[in-house]
Amino acid sequence: MRLRLLYCITAFLLTNSISSQAPKKNTPSETYHAIQKLNFLGTALYIAAHPDDENTRLISYLSNEVKARTGYLSLTRGDGGQNIIGPELRELLGVLRTQELLKARSVDGGEQFFSRANDFGYSKHPDETLKIWNKEEILGDVVRTIRTFKPDIIINRFDHRSPGTTHGHHTSSAMLSVEAFDLANDKNSYSQQLQTTETWQPQRLFFNTSWWFYGSEEKFKKADKSNMLNVDIGVYYPMLGISNNEIAAIASSQHLCQGFGRLSQRGSTQEYVELLKGDLPKNRNDLFDGINTTWSRIDGGKEIGAILNQVEKDFNFKNPAAHIPELVKAYSLLQNSKDEHWKTLKSIELRSIIKDLAGLHFEAFTTTPNTNPGATVDVSIEIINRSNSPMLLKKASLQENVDAHENIILEENVKIDLKSKLRIPENTKYTNPYWLNEKGSLGMYTVKNEAYLGKPETPRAFKATYIIDFNGYEITFTKPVVFKHAKRDKGELFQPFEVVPEATASFKDKVLIFADNKAKQVGVTIKAHQNNVNGKVQLCFDKSWKVDQETKAFNIAKKGDEQIIYFRISPPENENESFISPILKVNGKEISKELVTIAYDHIPTQTILLPSEAKVVRLNIKKAGENIGYIMGAGDKVPNSLEQIGYTVHTIDPSAITKGSLQKYDAVVVGIRAYNVVEELKFKQPFLLDYVENGGNLIVQYNTAGRWGKQFENLAPYALEISRDRVTDENSEVKILEKHHSLINFPNSISKNDFNGWVQERGLYFPNKWDSKFTPILQMKDEGESAKKGSLLVAPYGKGNYIYTGLSFFRELPAGVPGAYKLFSNMISIGKDNIESNIKVKG
C-alpha cells in the first residue's frame, strides 16, 4: 500500500510522463504540493554516468522540499551493465534501464535526460572513456541539455579531479560537466545548437561529496568544509505522509535489473555538496540562496505570482475546484509573457493542476496494442468533469480537422463517451527507441533527428486533443493514445500504442554453431501484425554457405499468429564466421526487422525493432560428455549456447539439490552471480562440493565481490578470495601459463588466436588470492596495470575438478566467439581425457 500511495503522491511531479501508466488521480494534498512547486521558479540538474548513479535522496529533496524543477542527466543508458532479473543485455538492457530510470523519476519527482554515449562496459580511465565516446559530441550533448533545461545549479555525482580512481565513465561525466558549465554560455561553442536553443549560464556548480570520497567517515569529519554546503535530506513531508528518504528508497528500488532494491531510511540525514564554480551562498543550507526563484524573474510574472501565491495561501482543501477561475486567469496572463522558457514549463504545470482541481479525466484508448502504417484504428475517447465548475468541450479530436467532436456541455460527474477513427498515415515511422534506429558505434549512438537529442524515449506519435472552455477561456489538453485492456489477475492495464510493420521475422537462436560439416534446418519465425499477411521471405547469406532455396512463400491469416519457414543451410568445410538475415517482401515493402518485447511488471511493456540476423559459425570443435546441469544465476544465455554445440543442458532448481542428486551430470555449471542472487546456494554448497569429490566437474562463473559473507566463505573447496580485478580491454594480450594442462589441450587445442574477436571485456571480478592447490591457467592485463592470473583457476578435489572463472563467457558465447566455445568445452571435458585413453587401451 505504501508503494501504491507514493506513486499517487508523486504522479503530478513528472513532466516526462510514462504514457502507458493508468491516468493519475491526485488528492487535494498532492495538488497543493504541485501548487507549491508551481510558485518556485528554480531549476537544478544532477549529472552522472549511468542509471543508478543518481542520488535519489538529493533529487527528491530538491524536487519535493526545495520545490525546484529537478533533472537527472545520465550520460549513458547502462547498456554495458549486467541484468539480474532477465536475459536482456547491451541495447535491450539499455531500453530496460531507461524505463527503470523513468519509473524512479516518477517517484522522486525528477525529469530524465540522456546523451548519445553508449555504455561500452567498464572503463578504468577517463582518457579511454572519452576516446571511445567521442568527447566533442558527448560534451555537445551536455551543453545542449544545459541550454535546453536552463538549470540555475548543477550538481555532479562524481569528482572530476580524481581520474583513474573510479569507473572512467564516472569521472568523465564530472569532467564534461565542469567544461560544459562555461561553454553553455559561449555563443561560439556548438553554435549550430543555437538554431533551436539559446546560450545559458548556470549560477553554481557543485560536487555531491561524502565520506565515501574521503575514504572514511573519520577523515571526512576532519576535512575542510569551508567550501561546502549541507542540507538535511531526511525531512518529513506532513502533507504527503512520507519522508524524503522513504521516497528516495522507493525511487532507487526501481532499478531492479541492477539489484538496487533497498530498505527505507528515516530520520535526519546530512547531505554535502562542494562548490566548484560560482558564488558561495551565504546560507550554507540553501543551494539556491541569492538566486531569484520567484515569479518576478519572468516577464509579466508579478501579476501572475500575486494570483498563484494567494491560491497557495488560501488553498481550499475541501473544495479545491473553487480555485479554478483564479488559475484560469493566471494561465491566460502567462500566455502573454515573452519568456518562452518559463511560459512553456509553467503552462504545463498549470494545465495539470487545473485538470486535477476540476477532477477532469481524459482517456483515448484502443483495444489493440499496435497497428500498421496506412491502417485505421477505432479509438474510444472519455471525458468527465467531476466538479461543479461550468465547462464546455469545445473540441475533441485525434487529428486536426478530422472526426472532431464539438460543443458538448460537461455536466458534473457525467461521463462523455465518444468514438473516433484514427487513420495512420502511410509514411508513419515504426515505433522504436530513437537511439536504436540507426547503427551506432562501440561508444556512440547515432541520432539523426536532433529534436530527439536528450529525450529519454521517443515521443508518442498519436495524441488526443481536448479543448475545454472554462467560462469563456479555452485551454487545450492532450493525452497520448494508449492500449487499454484488463486481465483477471491484474485488473485494468495500460500499454503504449505502437506502430509496427505488417510482419516481422526472427531466428530462435542468434548464434548458430555448426560443429561439423553437416547441414542444419534453420527456422525463420514470421509473426503477423495484421490479418491476412502473405508474401515471400528471402534468406540473405554469404556465398561460402549453401542454402536449399533462397526464397520461400508464407501466408498467415490472423494477426499475432506465427509461421516458421525452414531453410536447409550447409556450412563450408573450413572454419568460418558469417551472418544470415531474412527479408520479408509484403505488399511491395521489404522488411528486415525483428520485434523484441520487454515485459516486466515494474515498467511499461516495450517493443523494439532490431535488425533481424543470426551469426553462423562453422567451428571445428570437439567435446567430451553429454549431459550438463546448469544452475541459473542472474540470467544469461550460456545454456542455449552449450546446446548449440550438442550438449544436453538440464536447468537445476537449487532447492532440489541433495546429496548424490548431481552425479548423473558430466559437469555442473553455475551461472553468473548465482551466489549473489540465489540465497539458497550457500546452503547447498556442501552438496556441490560432494559432487566434485565424487568425480564431478563443477564450473563456477563470476560473482561480484563482497556480497556473500566473508569473501564467499566456502565458495570453493580451498581458500579463494574474489576481488574487483578485471581486464576491460577485449583485445588485451592473453598469455597461456600452463601450455600442457588439459584445459588447454583436451579435447580442443587452445592458442592465443582463440582469444581473438572477444567482445566488451576479457573478464571481471577475478580472484586475487587462492590456495596453492589451484592452478592459474591464463594471464592477462590492461595497459599500464599489473598482470592478472585469476581469470581461470582449476583445482582437483577428490575424484573431480573445481573450476572458477571470471572470463566473460556470458558475453562471448552469445556473441558466437569460436575460441570461447572451445575453451568452455575443454572446461566441461576436464578429466575425461584419461577416461578416453583407458577406453582406447581396453579396446
Side-chain angles (χ1 to χ4, degrees):
M1 289 300 292
R2 171 68 73 179
L3 186 60
R4 183 178 178 83
L5 171 64
L6 187 59
Y7 287 161
C8 293
I9 287 172
T10 59
F12 62 89
L13 301 171
L14 184 63
T15 301
N16 299 339
S17 61
I18 300 175
S19 60
S20 70
Q21 290 184 331
K24 301 300 181 182
K25 305 170 184 66
N26 293 320
T27 67
S29 292
E30 295 155 6
T31 304
Y32 176 72
H33 190 69
I35 291 173
Q36 290 180 308
K37 287 179 64 66
L38 180 69
N39 286 328
F40 188 93
L41 280 72
T43 306
L45 179 63
Y46 201 88
I47 298 179
H50 310 109
D52 72 38
D53 281 346
E54 81 274 28
N55 184 343
T56 55
R57 295 171 303 183
L58 189 52
I59 289 175
S60 179
Y61 174 86
L62 290 168
S63 177
N64 297 306
E65 173 66 11
V66 178
K67 309 296 190 300
R69 184 188 183 210
T70 307
Y72 174 44
L73 171 57
S74 176
L75 294 191
T76 77
R77 297 176 185 268
D79 327 73
Q82 284 85 50
N83 180 2
I84 71 166
I85 64 172
E88 294 84 8
L89 292 174
R90 291 305 309 149
E91 65 271 8
L92 296 180
L93 179 60
V95 174
L96 171 57
R97 297 189 73 187
T98 292
Q99 292 302 317
E100 289 185 337
L101 268 178
L102 285 173
K103 198 67 178 289
R105 298 294 79 77
S106 74
V107 172
D108 61 33
E111 299 176 42
Q112 188 60 53
F113 304 97
F114 293 96
S115 80
R116 287 170 290 172
N118 188 345
D119 180 358
F120 55 84
Y122 192 86
S123 175
K124 294 182 177 178
H125 200 281
D127 288 350
E128 176 197 38
T129 299
L130 295 175
K131 181 179 179 181
I132 294 175
W133 274 356
N134 187 330
K135 177 190 174 183
E136 288 306 308
E137 291 192 17
I138 301 304
L139 177 60
D141 289 351
V142 179
V143 168
R144 182 188 293 273
T145 301
I146 293 172
R147 287 172 172 175
T148 304
F149 193 59
K150 299 185 184 301
D152 298 299
I153 64 172
I154 296 176
I155 304 172
N156 292 343
R157 183 63 172 123
F158 300 103
D159 190 354
H160 68 289
R161 298 160 297 192
S162 55
T165 60
T166 182
H167 197 320
H169 297 181
H170 293 167
T171 310
S172 295
S173 70
M175 293 168 66
L176 292 170
S177 175
V178 170
E179 195 168 348
F181 182 86
D182 297 318
L183 293 181
N185 198 38
D186 182 355
K187 65 181 181 180
N188 296 316
S189 293
Y190 300 100
S191 56
Q192 76 281 0
Q193 296 180 5
L194 301 179
Q195 297 176 19
T196 54
T197 185
E198 59 187 4
T199 57
W200 179 255
Q201 183 57 63
Q203 298 300 301
R204 293 171 186 140
L205 176 65
F206 297 102
F207 160 46
N208 185 191
T209 190
S210 70
W211 68 263
W212 189 87
F213 292 96
Y214 284 77
S216 69
E217 293 187 52
E218 183 179 354
K219 289 181 180 179
F220 186 61
K221 287 179 182 178
K222 297 177 181 179
D224 179 9
K225 297 183 178 63
S226 60
N227 211 35
M228 292 185 193
L229 283 72
N230 70 294
V231 294
D232 184 356
I233 48 89
V235 293
Y236 178 71
Y237 304 123
M239 293 295 296
L240 303 180
I242 196 168
S243 71
N244 188 73
N245 281 342
E246 289 174 291
I247 293 176
I250 297 171
S252 178
S253 294
Q254 302 312 306
H255 298 298
L256 296 184
C257 71
Q258 286 297 102
F260 267 62
R262 61 185 178 92
L263 295 172
S264 296
Q265 294 179 340
R266 297 167 185 85
S268 179
T269 308
Q270 295 298 312
E271 192 75 47
Y272 289 83
V273 294
E274 176 189 354
L275 183 72
L276 300 178
K277 291 192 175 187
D279 61 306
L280 189 67
K282 293 180 181 179
N283 183 350
R284 296 297 186 91
N285 305 117
D286 183 0
L287 279 64
F288 284 88
D289 182 44
I291 298 173
N292 184 4
T293 58
T294 70
W295 278 101
S296 65
R297 80 180 289 174
I298 74 166
D299 171 64
K302 185 176 181 180
E303 187 177 0
I304 299 168
I307 296 171
L308 295 177
N309 284 303
Q310 194 65 40
V311 170
E312 180 182 343
K313 181 180 179 182
D314 301 331
F315 189 74
N316 187 334
F317 286 91
K318 290 185 177 180
N319 182 25
H323 297 294
I324 291 176
E326 301 154 275
L327 294 176
V328 170
K329 181 180 179 181
Y331 185 90
S332 66
L333 290 172
L334 180 59
Q335 305 318 300
N336 298 324
S337 176
K338 296 178 182 178
D339 191 320
E340 293 297 328
H341 175 72
W342 283 111
K343 178 171 72 174
T344 300
L345 295 175
K346 293 303 176 180
S347 292
I348 293 171
E349 291 182 50
L350 262 170
R351 285 196 296 268
S352 179
I353 292 170
I354 291 169
K355 177 180 72 66
D356 290 339
L357 292 179
L360 273 170
H361 173 84
F362 303 113
E363 268 190 46
F365 63 90
T366 73
T367 56
T368 180
N370 55 58
T371 190
N372 321 115
T376 298
V377 180
D378 292 326
V379 177
S380 298
I381 298 174
E382 289 183 3
I383 313 103
I384 185 168
N385 167 24
R386 291 175 286 192
S387 73
N388 58 9
S389 295
M391 293 177 214
L392 176 69
L393 176 64
K394 290 285 291 185
K395 185 178 180 180
S397 60
L398 297 174
Q399 291 156 316
E400 192 171 357
N401 301 320
V402 178
D403 294 339
H405 303 273
E406 299 179 329
N407 299 319
I408 300 172
I409 295 174
L410 299 179
E411 299 178 21
E412 182 178 0
N413 208 32
V414 176
K415 188 177 72 167
I416 305 298
D417 289 311
L418 306 171
K419 301 297 181 182
S420 193
K421 300 283 188 182
L422 177 61
R423 296 167 178 82
I424 313 298
E426 285 282 359
N427 62 351
T428 302
K429 293 185 180 301
Y430 302 135
T431 306
N432 204 40
Y434 68 84
W435 62 96
L436 298 180
N437 284 334
E438 307 290 337
K439 185 176 177 60
S441 65
L442 174 64
M444 296 290 296
Y445 281 116
T446 300
V447 180
K448 291 188 176 180
N449 188 340
E450 291 191 0
Y452 290 166
L453 290 175
K455 294 184 182 297
E457 55 185 347
T458 309
R460 291 287 136 190
F462 300 104
K463 298 179 180 180
T465 300
Y466 310 84
I467 302 175
I468 307 295
D469 185 318
F470 293 89
N471 201 23
Y473 189 83
E474 296 178 2
I475 298 179
T476 300
F477 301 85
T478 61
K479 288 281 289 184
V481 176
V482 299
F483 165 49
K484 184 171 81 166
H485 61 122
K487 290 186 176 180
R488 291 185 177 183
D489 59 338
K490 294 184 179 180
E492 188 176 59
L493 298 172
F494 293 78
Q495 288 180 212
F497 174 65
E498 317 280 29
V499 179
V500 299
E502 289 85 345
T504 51
S506 63
F507 295 102
K508 177 185 175 182
D509 298 306
K510 301 307 177 189
V511 174
L512 299 166
I513 304 295
F514 290 74
D516 50 37
N517 60 2
K518 294 179 181 178
K520 286 186 178 183
Q521 292 284 100
V522 176
V524 176
T525 301
I526 302 170
K527 185 169 185 176
H529 304 295
Q530 68 175 30
N531 291 330
N532 299 315
V533 176
N534 60 78
K536 294 183 177 180
V537 54
Q538 177 183 346
L539 193 67
C540 300
F541 56 95
D542 183 86
K543 297 307 178 183
S544 59
W545 295 70
K546 305 297 180 184
V547 175
D548 60 342
Q549 187 177 335
E550 291 187 26
T551 303
K552 297 186 179 184
F554 68 90
N555 192 321
I556 306 175
K558 188 177 178 181
K559 179 178 180 177
D561 283 352
E562 296 178 342
Q563 182 179 354
I564 302 178
I565 303 296
Y566 288 95
F567 293 85
R568 185 175 176 82
I569 299 179
S570 302
E573 286 292 329
N574 299 318
E575 291 196 346
N576 181 285
E577 296 179 58
S578 187
F579 288 88
I580 56 174
S581 59
I583 297 178
L584 303 184
K585 299 183 178 182
V586 181
N587 298 328
K589 296 180 181 179
E590 291 191 349
I591 304 166
S592 58
K593 300 289 187 181
E594 70 167 310
L595 188 67
V596 181
T597 300
I598 300 177
Y600 293 99
D601 287 343
H602 69 299
I603 64 165
T605 299
Q606 300 294 300
T607 56
I608 304 99
L609 289 168
L610 297 175
S612 182
E613 63 179 16
K615 185 176 183 180
V616 288
V617 180
R618 170 67 172 95
L619 181 61
N620 288 320
I621 188 171
K622 300 175 183 177
K623 63 186 183 67
E626 297 293 336
N627 295 304
I628 308 299
Y630 202 93
I631 302 172
M632 292 301 298
D636 60 59
K637 297 181 179 180
V638 172
N640 302 37
S641 300
L642 296 179
E643 288 174 344
Q644 282 282 333
I645 54 175
Y647 285 108
T648 300
V649 182
H650 306 265
T651 301
I652 298 174
D653 179 357
S655 65
I657 297 175
T658 58
K659 186 176 179 64
S661 66
L662 304 175
Q663 298 305 140
K664 57 188 174 183
Y665 300 118
D666 293 299
V668 172
V669 182
V670 182
I672 60 173
R673 298 176 70 174
Y675 291 96
N676 299 142
V677 300
V678 182
E679 183 72 15
E680 193 166 10
L681 265 187
K682 59 184 173 183
F683 303 110
K684 300 296 183 175
Q685 192 66 7
F687 301 136
L688 291 172
L689 296 182
D690 180 72
Y691 161 74
V692 180
E693 192 172 15
N694 284 284
N697 290 335
L698 180 64
I699 301 168
V700 178
Q701 297 179 84
Y702 95 94
N703 288 268
T704 56
R707 295 196 184 184
W708 183 37
K710 298 179 180 179
Q711 285 296 329
F712 301 90
E713 188 176 356
N714 300 324
L715 175 70
Y718 312 112
L720 181 72
E721 291 190 13
I722 311 300
S723 73
R724 300 185 68 86
D725 287 351
R726 61 173 75 205
V727 175
T728 61
D729 182 0
E730 65 269 33
N731 298 311
S732 62
E733 182 182 0
V734 176
K735 182 178 180 181
I736 298 175
L737 299 175
E738 298 291 332
K739 295 182 179 180
H740 301 293
H741 198 283
S742 63
L743 278 184
I744 300 300
N745 295 283
F746 179 82
N748 302 285
S749 178
I750 303 297
S751 71
K752 281 187 174 183
N753 293 334
D754 289 301
F755 294 94
N756 295 337
W758 284 50
V759 299
Q760 186 160 324
E761 63 203 355
R762 288 296 189 198
L764 61 172
Y765 294 103
F766 297 164
N768 62 354
K769 294 181 181 179
W770 52 83
D771 189 275
S772 60
K773 293 183 177 64
F774 280 104
T775 299
I777 303 299
L778 305 173
Q779 176 179 292
M780 57 193 71
K781 67 173 185 173
D782 281 324
E783 185 177 355
E785 294 193 353
S786 61
K788 307 294 188 292
K789 298 182 179 181
S791 64
L792 180 58
L793 302 172
V794 58
Y797 181 64
K799 299 177 182 178
N801 294 277
Y802 177 97
I803 296 174
Y804 187 93
T805 179
L807 293 171
S808 57
F809 288 107
F810 72 104
R811 296 193 192 281
E812 312 313 322
L813 298 183
V817 178
Y821 276 91
K822 292 179 180 179
L823 184 54
F824 211 100
S825 176
N826 282 14
M827 292 193 301
I828 290 173
S829 305
I830 189 171
K832 293 181 173 56
D833 49 345
N834 293 328
I835 295 174
E836 289 197 2
S837 297
N838 290 335
I839 291 173
K840 290 178 180 178
V841 170
K842 290 179 181 179

